[in-house]
Amino acid sequence: MDQELIKRQRRLALQAASAACLGWAWPQARACEIYTGLLRVTHPWTRATTAHATTAVLCMRLDEVTTADRLIGVSTPVATGAEMGGAQTGLAVSIPVPADTVTELSEDGVHVRLTGLKHALQVGREYALTLEFERSGTVLARLSVDFTTQRFL
C-alpha cells in the first residue's frame, strides 16, 4: 500500500476514535436555547435561500412557559421586515404563547416569514435575531441557517 494512503487511514481512525471518546465524556451539546424569566426559545432557524429569494420561513420552539405571553415582533439585519406565515399570512406578527404548553413555529404550521431578504442565506451561517414579546420583552438570539430548501425527513 502507498505510505500516504496508510497515513490517511491512520489519521481518520484516530479522528474517529477521538470523536467517539469526546462524545462519551463530554456533556451533550444543546441546541441554541435562550431563557427569559417566563419562557425558553429553542433553536431559531431557517433554510438556506437562493440569491433571488425575497422571503424565508423562521421556525423555532417556545416552551417552559410559566406565564402566558405573545410574540409581537421579529427583526434581523438580513431582512427588512417580518409577518405572519401559515394560515394568517401577511398579518403583523402576533403569536400567542400559552402557559404550560409547547408552541412550535414550523414550515407546515404557524410561523414567521422574514420579508425583504437583503441577500441569500447560506447554510451554516448565523445572523442576529431580535424577538419581541409582550411580557418577556426583547430577546436577542441567533438565527441559524440549517439546510437548503430540499426537505429532509
Side-chain angles (χ1 to χ4, degrees):
M1 263 192 169
D2 179 44
Q3 291 296 330
E4 286 301 314
L5 179 60
I6 293 171
K7 286 180 185 179
R8 188 176 318 130
Q9 288 175 338
R10 285 183 183 163
R11 188 175 320 117
L12 289 173
L14 181 59
Q15 288 172 344
S18 296
C21 288
L22 284 177
W24 174 78
W26 211 262
Q28 285 290 328
R30 301 187 74 175
C32 175
E33 296 177 336
I34 301 98
Y35 288 89
T36 72
L38 304 177
L39 57 87
R40 174 176 69 171
V41 177
T42 303
H43 192 59
W45 67 276
T46 189
R47 293 184 187 274
T49 63
T50 63
H52 303 291
T54 59
T55 64
V57 174
L58 170 62
C59 301
M60 70 183 106
R61 179 183 179 106
L62 306 168
D63 63 5
E64 296 188 18
V65 184
T66 58
T67 303
D69 207 339
R70 180 175 293 276
L71 179 63
I72 58 172
V74 174
S75 63
T76 177
V78 298
T80 59
E83 64 185 21
M84 294 291 293
Q88 300 175 340
T89 297
L91 300 177
V93 174
S94 181
I95 299 173
V97 185
D100 301 319
T101 62
V102 174
T103 301
E104 287 280 345
L105 303 185
S106 69
E107 296 171 310
D108 299 326
V110 174
H111 58 267
V112 173
R113 181 178 297 115
L114 301 175
T115 59
L117 292 181
K118 297 178 181 178
H119 55 77
L121 305 180
Q122 298 176 347
V123 174
R125 298 290 307 266
E126 285 189 339
Y127 303 98
L129 179 68
T130 303
L131 305 171
E132 186 71 32
F133 292 91
E134 271 182 350
R135 294 186 179 195
S136 297
T138 301
V139 176
L140 302 177
R142 301 295 296 169
L143 173 62
S144 297
V145 182
D146 284 355
F147 42 85
T148 63
T149 56
Q150 180 181 356
R151 303 207 52 177
F152 296 98
L153 298 177

